[in-house]
Amino acid sequence: MLVMPEPDSQSTQKKIVLTRRQRFSELMREHHSQLLVFATAIVKDHDSAKDIVQDALVTAWKKFDQYETDRDFGKWMRGIIRNKCKDWFRKHQKDALPDIEVVEMEVDIESWQSANAAGTGVFETVEVCMEKLPENLKGAVDTYYFENRDGTDAAEQLQITPANLRKRLERARALLHDCISRTIEADQTPSNITPRVSHAG
Amino acid sequence: MQDKDKDLDKTLNAGSDAAMDALLLQMAKAKNTDSESFLEEMEALIDQAEEEEEEKIVPFSDTKVRRKLYWRAAAIAAVVMVLGTIALVYHSANSTGPMLASYDAQIIAHSAGTQVEPALEKQILTKQSLKAAPASGPASPSISIGYDTDYVWKGSQVEYGATPPQPSQAPKPRTRPESTVNATVDDRLATRHFLGGPNELQELNYRKAEPKQSVSEHTYGTTAYEYEALDIGASRNAFSTSGHGGTEFTAQAKKQNNDGILGGVTAEAAGAFFANKNESGVEPIIGREDSLAIRESTSSRYGSLIDNPWASPIKDPLSTFSIDVDTASWTNVRGLLNQGYQPSNIDKDSVRIEEWINYFDWDYAQPEGKHPFAFATEVASSPWNQDHLLLRIGVQGKEMSRQERPRANLVFLFDVSGSMSSANKLPLAKHAIETLTEELNADDKVTMVVYAGSEGLALPPTNGHKQKPILHALRNLNAGGSTNGGAGIKLAYRMAKENYIEDGVNRVILCTDGDFNVGTTSNQALVDLVESRSKEGVFLSVCGFGNDNLNDSMLEEITNKGNGNYYFIDSKREARKVFLEDLMGTLVTIAKDVKIQVEFNPAQVESYRLIGYANRKLNAEDFENDAIDAGEVGSGHSVTALYEIVPIGGQSKVPPELRYQKSTEPKRELVPSEELALLKLRYKLPDADTSIPMTQPIMPDDQSWQQASKDYRFAAAVAMTGMKLRGHDSVKNSSYADAVKIAKKAIGKDIHGHKAEFVNVINSLKP
């Protein structure tokens, strides 16, 4: 059975609550971005993902006394999010993503997170990689993602067909993904942490 | 247009590399400072969760009960309460003479052999103001309660404060602890139960009231104590607890109709409910009917309804309920059935039969004379049981013409949380409101408030003829963010009050999928707010959208008590029904706190049962109590209630023999009467505080249901279908096809095609 330290007075109890709370806030600040990425990747809708992550964080806070400090917070949270996503699919009467796909995404996101932890930050890596993209692909990513346009708008803006836009985005994402993986690997292998098993080919 | 965009966007980020897509999306959002606002929102939510958590812990915080044991403690507390109740009954029976109350207790406590540490248990006992002596010796009693209980309480020996009964008189009952009960009482609750209260003595037409002490003899010695009161159909309440392995505990009680439905009941609250003060001669009345329990711990969002049981006109001559003009339940279930759900997949608690019946247009006559209501009653044999009768009570509200419509001050409160973005939610809500605004004119005021992460004013109060700014604001609404319903509702009410129109329609219209799930004020607090504002003349309509996420029980609860209506809008067609066809009914209230009481004549009725209205039942004494809220009726609304009746001489449905009472014969003199029942209605005009009574006797009729009116037959078919979906025993020999057959021939004048639609939907059900 889990035994919590029994505080002597109410004030000490308050103090413990505060530090727990602060710790949780820090973890939240550190991890929320990758958690949103994870949930968005699964449910493919950023707004719903936001709801899910919020919900999951509230759940996590309620169970925070069960969280062991030496565990990876991101991993713990992703477990909760996976379940919340399952609920979400059920509620929306949609077929859930196959587990294998979720696991694959989790591997990617975990590696991005480790880049985050190493200090460079995956977003910065994306920016560096963006610069390496061919102009037309970069344009597509900028217009669609960073200028926050919907598909029709973005295609109009770029004066291409939606099908064309889709192709460009697909290629851009594949290149970016590859670039990020390489960068992170390169960062890690020489001095840092553990060598990562690279995909064949 | 929007849908098309959405589809395109789906293909743009579908297929390859969802993770990368998500990463880029998130990066873009983070650049737009979304990240900071997310974290801010998150902090607020955690604060809220923490507050809720602390509130929950309060009763035990000083006792240092570990949180993990919290629910266990609650389960134990429930047992202690039961002991208290039994002890009180026992005690008062010994010291203050016969009790008055009809006491009909059913406690369900499943808990897999939860055992409690003596220290903890003692704390709880102290908390409940029970004096408990520490465990003495190995002979601690092991107490099990009720037939439905496998809960074993091992613990301290406690003793009665009053002189214990002589052992010879009272062989030791299995359930009786030797306990000291020096219990406190929740006076507020108790007063309502006090059967000598001011509203207590109802005029009974069919028999003269006797002194209340006419209680039959009782003996002690077994598990159950029954005290029979011969005065009124006493109030019933339910308290049920269930715990599984001590980790999950759902304690829900509907204290009183007028109290609304409780969410989770804390052990302390429940303790107060069950604890008793003997001197006041007060005891809670516990029963199984009329209860609505919401399981918050599961993902189910429907409050669980327990149907009204059979009652005997001798014991319970009065059937009292609050009127309900809501229609959401049918729309909701219809949507599910249309999506191909079969009956076995329908949550039976989403079926509220009275709302189904109310959905349809009935051919009732308009009221004439001074009252805004007309009665339309009819009796015939029941289509599902030839030996039974079905009594239909129709109440038609006065219809006001559009020209007569008073000025309106409408505050729309839009839920724009992320979950509202689907096409059948916010976009449909916008469409619905657009439909409505066409009907508004310069005298009317429109305000729009949104709530999501932060609530805000989307349209300041604007005159109704200024279509452009209204439509502009409407079109600018976008879904995104999480939900904090509480703050939005408060702002909406403030706006409604600031723009209050004397003698006009002042109404907040909430458009939501009811997904208040990311932490908000408790349901009860919201209900209280809505209720208090309705007293100031601001009414509430709730429009539910999208049945994937719908928090049905919560929305119904809000409108149940707070003079409001609840609609479920699943299509443009439904939006037209609510905001165009029934607009006057939606907006204009003709009467509030409308209650119905039917007194059954024991000379004509063996037993009776109210179909539906499972969470609308009132205590008999509440009927004439103007402080007790009830439903609101809009212009042209009609309300229909069905009673299934076993005529006199038929096989009674009420358990016949009582062990401790000699007979079920009435102790009171019967007043000879041919009447079947007396129908009574009370209403208040929208701005009045005192209620106005109406009565009408109902005569028996031996016509068969085939001879009855179309309205009668169609209503019976709807009820039959609803009962079937709810798994009622009484209709087990009937099929959906039977209901279709009856309904088909009874469609009649069906201007809007709703009845034909019903037949079509039910026709597709497998038996």
Side-chain angles (χ1 to χ4, degrees):
Chain A
M1 189 195 289
L2 183 95
V3 179
M4 278 179 36
E6 295 204 350
D8 297 326
S9 68
Q10 291 236 317
S11 62
T12 25
Q13 195 176 3
K14 192 77 198 167
K15 221 162 139 191
I16 289 170
V17 169
L18 267 180
T19 42
R20 266 179 78 227
R21 175 65 201 274
Q22 281 165 346
R23 230 175 75 221
F24 191 77
S25 291
E26 267 168 33
L27 287 167
M28 212 158 67
R29 185 160 285 276
E30 186 184 328
H31 290 269
H32 75 280
S33 216
Q34 59 115 339
L35 298 176
L36 283 165
V37 172
F38 183 55
T40 311
I42 297 177
V43 300
K44 306 217 170 30
D45 174 42
H46 194 268
D47 287 331
S48 301
K50 212 169 127 185
D51 283 357
I52 288 169
V53 172
Q54 283 187 337
D55 205 11
L57 281 168
V58 171
T59 306
W61 167 245
K62 286 179 182 163
K63 291 185 179 167
F64 197 47
D65 51 356
Q66 289 167 30
Y67 167 70
E68 291 146 34
T69 22
D70 52 345
R71 270 175 73 195
D72 180 351
F73 183 76
K75 203 168 200 158
W76 186 57
M77 279 308 302
R78 285 197 298 271
I80 300 177
I81 289 174
R82 266 201 304 273
N83 285 330
K84 297 272 177 202
C85 287
K86 277 185 189 149
D87 288 345
W88 185 89
F89 281 115
R90 230 190 338 263
K91 263 193 210 163
H92 290 73
Q93 289 150 27
K94 284 182 189 160
D95 292 331
L97 217 57
D99 282 347
I100 181 74
E101 278 184 41
V102 177
V103 171
E104 271 173 16
M105 281 185 316
E106 214 178 331
V107 170
D108 281 334
I109 290 165
E110 204 172 349
S111 75
W112 296 341
Q113 182 202 349
S114 69
N116 230 351
T120 49
V122 71
F123 288 163
E124 283 162 42
T125 316
V126 175
E127 274 179 5
V128 173
C129 289
M130 281 273 287
E131 294 309 315
K132 296 181 188 164
L133 284 181
E135 205 47 48
N136 60 345
L137 299 189
K138 183 174 182 295
V141 172
D142 270 337
T143 319
Y144 180 66
Y145 286 104
F146 295 105
E147 287 168 25
N148 200 16
R149 290 173 200 271
D150 60 39
T152 330
D153 251 20
E156 255 170 41
Q157 177 75 17
L158 294 166
Q159 295 177 325
I160 53 175
T161 63
N164 207 335
L165 174 63
R166 183 171 63 229
K167 264 267 137 344
R168 283 188 194 182
L169 287 175
E170 250 175 52
R171 280 184 54 212
R173 281 193 298 256
L175 287 173
L176 281 175
H177 199 156
D178 191 50
C179 171
I180 294 167
S181 300
R182 280 161 193 270
T183 314
I184 291 171
E185 253 172 69
D187 278 353
Q188 284 180 349
T189 21
S191 55
N192 297 354
I193 336 168
T194 43
R196 205 165 147 262
V197 184
S198 62
H199 298 287
Chain B
M1 232 342 237
Q2 269 199 341
D3 293 352
K4 226 175 103 196
D5 286 349
K6 219 139 189 140
D7 285 347
L8 174 63
D9 287 340
K10 258 181 208 153
T11 57
L12 284 176
N13 49 34
S16 74
D17 217 344
M20 195 62 225
D21 176 58
L23 179 67
L24 289 167
L25 268 175
Q26 177 56 29
M27 204 173 143
K29 297 275 178 188
K31 275 194 171 171
N32 296 335
T33 66
D34 254 32
S35 201
E36 273 311 309
S37 73
F38 176 86
L39 284 169
E40 271 169 31
E41 264 173 44
M42 216 41 246
E43 292 289 347
L45 288 171
I46 300 284
D47 279 343
Q48 225 161 13
E50 201 176 12
E51 272 168 30
E52 280 166 22
E53 201 81 343
E54 273 173 10
E55 267 171 34
K56 277 185 195 167
I57 298 170
V58 166
F60 297 114
S61 60
D62 52 337
T63 66
K64 296 176 193 167
V65 175
R66 273 159 263 161
R67 196 176 311 163
K68 278 193 88 177
L69 282 173
Y70 175 69
W71 286 123
R72 257 191 223 194
I76 298 148
V79 172
V80 172
M81 294 156 213
V82 174
L83 296 181
T85 314
I86 293 169
L88 172 77
V89 170
Y90 197 86
H91 170 67
S92 49
N94 271 287
S95 58
T96 59
M99 294 287 294
L100 309 176
S102 157
Y103 178 69
D104 175 11
Q106 189 194 14
I107 304 295
I108 308 154
H110 298 287
S111 188
T114 311
Q115 292 199 4
V116 185
E117 292 165 19
L120 167 60
E121 174 191 23
K122 192 178 165 193
Q123 300 286 8
I124 295 158
L125 284 171
T126 316
K127 204 76 204 164
Q128 302 307 332
S129 306
L130 296 174
K131 280 184 190 162
S136 62
S140 306
S142 163
I143 299 146
S144 110
I145 299 186
Y147 48 86
D148 221 358
T149 310
D150 51 5
Y151 195 101
V152 178
W153 185 59
K154 282 187 182 158
S156 321
Q157 197 166 16
V158 274
E159 49 182 357
Y160 275 103
T163 323
Q166 299 297 317
S168 58
Q169 282 178 324
K172 194 171 171 185
R174 193 157 60 92
T175 54
R176 182 167 59 81
E178 295 176 23
S179 60
T180 297
V181 178
N182 185 10
T184 55
V185 71
D186 182 335
D187 288 325
R188 188 175 58 89
L189 260 175
T191 325
R192 292 221 183 98
H193 291 290
F194 187 23
L195 289 169
N199 296 308
E200 197 45 47
L201 268 178
Q202 304 274 337
E203 270 291 322
L204 292 179
N205 272 20
Y206 302 121
R207 56 197 200 195
K208 290 164 189 161
E210 262 201 6
K212 290 184 172 189
Q213 275 82 353
S214 62
V215 176
S216 49
E217 279 178 31
H218 44 260
T219 51
Y220 302 104
T222 44
T223 51
Y225 293 84
E226 286 263 3
Y227 291 86
E228 181 57 35
L230 292 171
D231 49 1
I232 54 163
S235 56
R236 306 291 174 110
N237 294 278
F239 180 84
S240 71
T241 65
S242 73
H244 300 289
T247 50
E248 185 199 329
F249 178 82
T250 313
Q252 310 289 352
K254 184 169 184 191
K255 288 191 299 187
Q256 289 276 311
N257 270 290
N258 45 296
D259 267 350
I261 302 113
L262 289 182
V265 177
T266 64
E268 190 173 57
F273 178 47
F274 273 87
N276 296 280
K277 189 184 271 167
N278 188 30
E279 305 85 274
S280 60
V282 166
E283 69 171 24
I285 295 158
I286 311 151
R288 58 193 169 282
E289 77 186 72
D290 176 33
S291 71
L292 192 152
I294 301 167
R295 276 179 162 273
E296 288 185 335
S297 56
T298 70
S299 58
S300 158
R301 307 292 202 82
Y302 297 110
S304 89
L305 298 178
I306 298 170
D307 291 293
N308 292 309
W310 286 95
S312 146
I314 292 170
K315 280 196 266 180
D316 306 309
L318 298 170
S319 165
T320 313
F321 60 94
S322 156
I323 234 165
D324 181 357
V325 295
D326 296 349
T327 58
S329 174
W330 165 244
T331 321
N332 187 14
V333 175
R334 175 187 66 192
L336 294 172
L337 294 175
N338 277 338
Q339 284 169 31
Y341 278 72
Q342 279 303 315
S344 53
N345 300 328
I346 302 282
D347 188 331
K348 73 183 191 108
D349 292 324
S350 65
V351 179
R352 292 186 291 274
I353 298 172
E354 70 279 13
E355 295 190 13
W356 285 35
I357 296 177
N358 280 337
Y359 183 86
F360 303 98
D361 304 319
W362 305 105
D363 211 2
Y364 300 153
Q366 272 292 312
E368 289 166 7
K370 59 177 181 151
H371 293 299
F373 291 105
F375 292 131
T377 62
E378 192 169 0
V379 188
S381 65
S382 153
W384 56 84
N385 187 338
Q386 291 294 339
D387 297 335
H388 291 184
L389 300 175
L390 205 58
L391 163 63
R392 185 208 64 199
I393 293 174
V395 176
Q396 177 66 50
K398 193 174 167 190
E399 179 127 40
M400 226 182 250
S401 71
R402 281 186 191 213
Q403 287 73 33
E404 288 175 87
R405 177 170 71 78
R407 295 167 59 203
N409 160 32
L410 304 178
V411 180
F412 293 100
L413 174 56
F414 290 99
D415 175 354
V416 289
S417 65
S419 59
M420 282 292 282
S421 59
S422 356
N424 65 346
K425 294 183 181 174
L426 193 61
L428 182 59
K430 288 160 127 180
H431 172 86
I433 306 308
E434 247 183 78
T435 314
L436 172 79
T437 50
E438 288 164 21
E439 291 282 316
L440 299 176
N441 51 45
D443 290 336
D444 302 319
K445 274 237 152 57
V446 180
T447 310
M448 286 183 209
V449 175
V450 297
Y451 71 75
S454 59
E455 89 280 15
L457 203 56
L459 175 75
T462 305
N463 287 354
H465 67 301
K466 293 182 180 159
Q467 295 281 311
K468 223 173 164 183
I470 296 175
L471 294 179
H472 181 76
L474 205 51
R475 280 170 197 151
N476 274 345
L477 296 176
N478 279 314
S482 70
T483 310
N484 184 352
I489 286 188
K490 278 182 198 144
L491 177 64
Y493 272 116
R494 210 177 71 218
M495 298 316 297
K497 223 179 149 191
E498 279 172 15
N499 296 285
Y500 193 83
I501 299 177
E502 275 311 317
D503 299 324
V505 173
N506 295 282
R507 190 172 279 278
V508 170
I509 300 171
L510 166 62
C511 300
T512 181
D513 58 0
D515 198 8
F516 290 78
N517 61 347
V518 276
T520 175
T521 348
S522 72
N523 280 11
Q524 192 56 46
L526 276 182
V527 171
D528 289 347
L529 175 84
V530 172
E531 207 176 319
S532 69
R533 290 299 182 272
S534 76
K535 291 204 170 66
E536 295 166 12
V538 179
F539 296 105
L540 177 74
S541 289
V542 173
C543 300
F545 291 89
N547 49 16
D548 51 347
N549 211 356
L550 188 73
N551 198 338
D552 181 70
S553 62
M554 154 109 188
L555 296 181
E556 217 234 341
E557 183 188 341
I558 294 186
T559 52
N560 250 3
K561 295 304 148 203
N563 296 41
N565 306 321
Y566 172 29
Y567 305 95
F568 178 71
I569 296 175
D570 61 347
S571 58
K572 289 191 175 174
R573 196 169 149 211
E574 193 59 33
R576 284 188 67 80
K577 179 180 187 309
V578 172
F579 289 115
L580 270 184
E581 292 163 19
D582 298 346
L583 176 74
M584 294 299 292
T586 307
L587 294 186
V588 184
T589 306
I590 57 166
K592 66 178 181 184
D593 293 342
V594 185
K595 304 166 190 171
I596 288 182
Q597 187 167 67
V598 183
E599 182 188 341
F600 287 92
N601 182 357
Q604 302 287 343
V605 175
E606 185 73 50
S607 22
Y608 69 89
R609 186 172 72 85
L610 175 58
I611 297 173
Y613 293 91
N615 57 352
R616 290 272 176 166
K617 219 180 159 226
L618 293 178
N619 299 323
E621 64 269 26
D622 294 341
F623 183 64
E624 292 181 13
N625 183 353
D626 285 348
I628 304 291
D629 288 327
E632 158 205 347
V633 175
S635 156
H637 277 161
S638 71
V639 174
T640 304
L642 293 174
Y643 281 95
E644 190 174 353
I645 292 174
V646 180
I648 197 78
Q651 186 160 18
S652 171
K653 287 286 182 179
V654 183
E657 285 297 305
L658 291 176
R659 187 175 173 123
Y660 307 109
Q661 294 175 39
K662 271 205 177 119
S663 79
T664 50
E665 273 172 38
K667 296 249 170 172
R668 278 169 282 194
E669 195 187 323
L670 293 183
V671 177
S673 168
E674 293 287 303
E675 294 165 17
L676 185 73
L678 181 73
L679 168 59
K680 299 186 269 185
L681 180 145
R682 272 183 177 271
Y683 67 92
K684 289 180 200 161
L685 292 170
D687 47 2
D689 290 327
T690 41
S691 64
I692 303 166
M694 291 171 69
T695 53
Q696 182 182 309
I698 301 166
M699 301 306 288
D701 195 332
D702 57 2
Q703 66 173 344
S704 77
W705 63 267
Q706 287 95 339
Q707 298 165 307
S709 70
K710 283 186 171 158
D711 277 351
Y712 176 97
R713 280 177 282 147
F714 196 86
V718 174
M720 201 164 141
T721 313
M723 282 158 67
K724 196 117 186 88
L725 271 169
R726 289 186 56 74
H728 257 273
D729 258 5
S730 45
V731 290
K732 63 173 183 277
N733 295 325
S734 315
S735 65
Y736 294 113
D738 293 337
V740 169
K741 246 185 256 166
I742 299 171
K744 244 184 191 164
K745 289 188 188 155
I747 289 179
K749 192 168 76 186
D750 185 24
I751 305 168
H752 303 304
H754 301 312
K755 289 179 177 170
E757 185 191 27
F758 175 84
V759 172
N760 278 338
V761 172
I762 302 306
N763 211 3
S764 66
L765 297 185
K766 291 181 190 123

